[in-house]
Structure formats: structure tokens, C-alpha cells
Amino acid sequence: MANKKILFLCLENATRSLMAEAIFRHLFGQHWEVFSAGLNSGGPHPLMLSALAERGIQTNALVSKNLSELPRYRFDVVVTLSPGADDLAQELEGNPFVVHLPFDDPAQLGGNHEERADAFRRVRDQIFGRLNVMGHRMETELICEEQQRQFKNPLNLSMVSGFF
């Protein structure tokens, strides 16, 4: 089964979309090529990097990118995480399946350092939970599609070879 491509999209590519990219890659990177971008790029937020590291999620591959910096792929799924990113998703080629999962931007919240860090943890956990459910559902659908293709092809007995 070829890897599908998923894009996490925000207006800014500094917190939520980068967090979603890292989390989804952590959970489902073996079957998905995972990207994130925004209308603007400004570098990963340090509190976002800390929140991900607390859960053992790799952040070394995270680079803030503008939408124009992405390779010209046809994305299978685009997930928008901020208001206004929906319009950006409509501009992408190939009519990808678009999912809207808006989250608060923890970088916009005030407070002392610990309160701000807690806001990043809360959004991290919300994104983790929703992407975990969404990813499992998509993977189940992909497995079902692949099984249907294999059973329709009479020469491909790999799915039933254990029964003989």
C-alpha cells in the first residue's frame, strides 16, 4: 500500500500545524507522508517543542514552512487547524479531502511561563486525542480499500494464502 500524503494547515506554521505534523508522524508515520505549512512561517514556538518533548514526540524534523515552500504534491487529506486556513485548503490542487479541526492558539494566551506551558500541553493533548482517533479511522478505511482491491483481483491470493 503506497503512503498517502496528509497536510496540516494553519495561517501561521509555528504551533498547531507543526504540533499536528509531529504528533501524526509519531502515531502514523509508517503509512503516511506528513507535512505542515501556513500562509506565514516564523519558526517553531519553543513551548510547543517542550510540550512535544514531554510526550517523547520527535521534533528534530520540524521546520516552519510557508505554503509556497511545499513540494507540489497532491495531498490526499488536508487538516485545517485555525480559522481562515479553510480558504487556503481550497487553493490546493487535486481537490483533497479537507477536515476542519480548529484548536485554540496557545501562543496567543497570556499568563506566566507555567500557565503558558500548561496551555501548550492542553492543546497538545487535544490534538493528540483527535488525530489518534482520526488516524485510526483513516487507516481502517485504507486497509478495507486495499483488501477489496486484492479480492477483486483473482490473481492476487496474498490475502487468503494463509487459508490454504
Side-chain angles (χ1 to χ4, degrees):
M1 178 172 16
N3 283 359
K4 299 281 188 176
K5 294 175 181 61
I6 188 167
L7 171 64
F8 294 98
L9 195 56
C10 275
L11 291 180
E12 303 289 328
N13 186 228
T15 303
R16 292 165 289 184
S17 51
L18 282 173
M19 196 178 290
E21 175 187 353
I23 289 169
F24 200 83
R25 184 175 291 123
H26 175 78
L27 294 169
F28 303 103
Q30 68 276 17
H31 295 128
W32 290 83
E33 290 184 54
V34 186
F35 302 87
S36 72
L39 185 60
N40 301 305
S41 58
H45 195 288
L47 288 174
M48 182 268 305
L49 295 173
S50 296
L52 291 172
E54 289 174 3
R55 294 276 305 254
I57 298 170
Q58 295 296 315
T59 61
N60 53 344
L62 292 180
V63 177
S64 181
K65 295 165 293 307
N66 182 291
L67 191 56
S68 65
E69 296 176 68
L70 286 178
R72 289 284 186 208
Y73 289 136
R74 182 197 170 281
F75 294 98
D76 299 288
V77 178
V78 175
V79 180
T80 62
L81 300 144
S82 67
D86 304 349
D87 295 334
L88 292 175
Q90 302 308 317
E91 298 174 15
L92 296 172
E93 297 175 18
N95 297 320
F97 181 74
V98 179
V99 178
H100 305 291
L101 292 178
F103 293 94
D104 291 334
D105 184 357
Q108 300 300 318
L109 302 176
N112 64 36
H113 179 77
E114 193 55 37
E115 291 168 335
R116 294 178 66 225
D118 284 343
F120 277 84
R121 290 180 190 110
R122 184 176 56 255
V123 171
R124 173 206 60 204
D125 292 344
Q126 291 170 350
I127 291 173
F128 191 98
R130 285 179 142 180
L131 293 184
N132 193 24
V133 170
M134 184 185 86
H136 281 294
R137 290 183 76 184
M138 289 190 309
E139 291 219 331
T140 299
E141 289 177 19
L142 290 173
I143 290 167
C144 290
E145 287 175 12
E146 183 65 22
Q147 288 174 343
Q148 287 175 349
R149 271 194 296 278
Q150 289 179 352
F151 281 120
K152 286 180 183 177
N153 179 355
L155 298 176
N156 186 344
L157 299 176
S158 64
M159 290 300 295
V160 294
S161 62
F163 297 114
F164 293 98

